Amino acid sequence: MTPLLERDVHLFDLDNTLYPPKNAILEQIAPRMRSFISNELAISIEESNQLCNSYYQRYGGTIRGIQLHYPSVDLNKFSEFSHQVNLDKVEKATKLKNALHAFKKSRYVFTNSPLPYATRVLKHIDLYDCFDGIFSVELTGYKMKPDPHAFNTICQHFGFEASDAAFYDDQISNISTAKALGMRTVLVNRSDIDKHDACYKTEDLPSFVESLTK
């Protein structure tokens, strides 16, 4: 773990990284996005689904595609509607909270999600006070991960170099960009993936972070 401990800044993705995928929060967001776009653009749900999938693959997020191709759509309304999820069954991340507080490095949330949603989720799982800041999709101008722009912008925003950072995420494409820029990388919660270029891999982030403090 020494190469990770050499990095003074640790960047954590939010969704399916700081909480386990079994909570199925993202599975609530996708249909809401499809519904909003279907109504806004007067297209079928099937067409909306195809549009969302293509924009996710191309840009890393549907909202970036909407911004570029349908500038008349109110991105704030789209984002707010899409992220009205039910968190009642999502448990607090007590073990991860304790591990993060014991980990004496700078820690930031680096998410493609909007700030109000990120803040709500972090407070719900009781991790809000574990980080020195939240870098949400609005701060990238919606030019989000895996675009290098997002990574360069967070470095500028918080005043560090990519070579100072470690990056934790559940998406291979995001990991690849981070590594190419000089970050140490940790692939999180992807038991379905064997081949990857991350420096480390874990399906138990709380224990992984805990091991960095010993």
Side-chain angles (χ1 to χ4, degrees):
M1 298 297 183
T2 301
L4 277 180
L5 294 173
E6 291 172 348
R7 302 301 172 100
D8 292 326
V9 178
H10 290 248
L11 310 175
F12 293 84
D13 175 50
L14 172 61
D15 291 307
N16 289 351
T17 298
L18 291 181
Y19 63 81
K22 68 179 182 181
N23 286 306
I25 297 176
L26 293 183
E27 284 75 1
Q28 296 184 58
I29 295 173
R32 297 186 67 84
M33 283 188 172
R34 291 194 293 268
S35 175
F36 183 95
I37 292 171
S38 175
N39 291 330
E40 190 75 12
L41 303 183
I43 60 177
S44 69
I45 288 293
E46 291 74 17
E47 291 172 311
S48 177
N49 185 44
Q50 292 175 358
L51 199 68
C52 289
N53 289 340
S54 66
Y55 287 165
Y56 180 81
Q57 295 298 325
R58 186 173 178 183
Y59 303 114
T62 300
I63 198 168
R64 176 61 171 166
I66 294 298
Q67 179 193 43
L68 292 175
H69 299 285
Y70 296 95
S72 63
V73 173
D74 188 320
L75 297 183
N76 288 328
K77 287 183 179 179
F78 172 52
S79 181
E80 181 181 358
F81 179 86
S82 300
H83 290 85
Q84 290 176 4
V85 298
N86 188 324
L87 301 176
D88 290 347
K89 295 182 179 179
V90 181
E91 297 178 352
K92 295 185 183 302
T94 304
K95 184 177 179 181
L96 181 56
K97 177 187 178 79
N98 293 336
L100 287 169
H101 276 308
F103 188 43
K104 304 305 181 183
K105 299 285 187 178
S106 295
R107 304 179 300 274
Y108 300 99
V109 173
F110 182 17
T111 177
N112 279 350
S113 295
L115 182 60
Y117 163 82
T119 300
R120 180 183 169 218
V121 171
L122 287 169
K123 287 183 176 180
H124 181 85
I125 61 178
D126 200 23
L127 293 182
Y128 184 74
D129 66 349
C130 294
F131 297 97
D132 300 300
I134 303 171
F135 191 84
S136 60
V137 69
E138 297 95 332
L139 294 174
T140 72
Y142 298 100
K143 196 174 181 181
M144 58 186 67
K145 297 180 292 183
D147 196 298
H149 168 81
F151 291 83
N152 292 329
T153 305
I154 191 175
C155 291
Q156 294 166 7
H157 186 81
F158 290 118
F160 61 86
E161 300 293 330
S163 57
D164 297 328
F167 174 69
Y168 304 71
D169 200 286
D170 67 306
Q171 294 297 314
I172 289 290
S173 56
N174 298 340
I175 290 287
S176 295
T177 300
K179 190 172 182 181
L181 292 172
M183 296 182 180
R184 303 284 187 201
T185 54
V186 183
L187 181 63
V188 182
N189 291 333
R190 292 305 299 265
S191 59
D192 58 318
I193 292 178
D194 293 322
K195 295 182 179 180
H196 59 86
D197 63 352
C199 303
Y200 303 90
K201 182 175 182 284
T202 181
E203 278 81 55
D204 184 353
L205 183 62
S207 295
F208 187 89
V209 175
E210 192 176 62
S211 72
L212 297 174
T213 67
K214 295 179 178 179

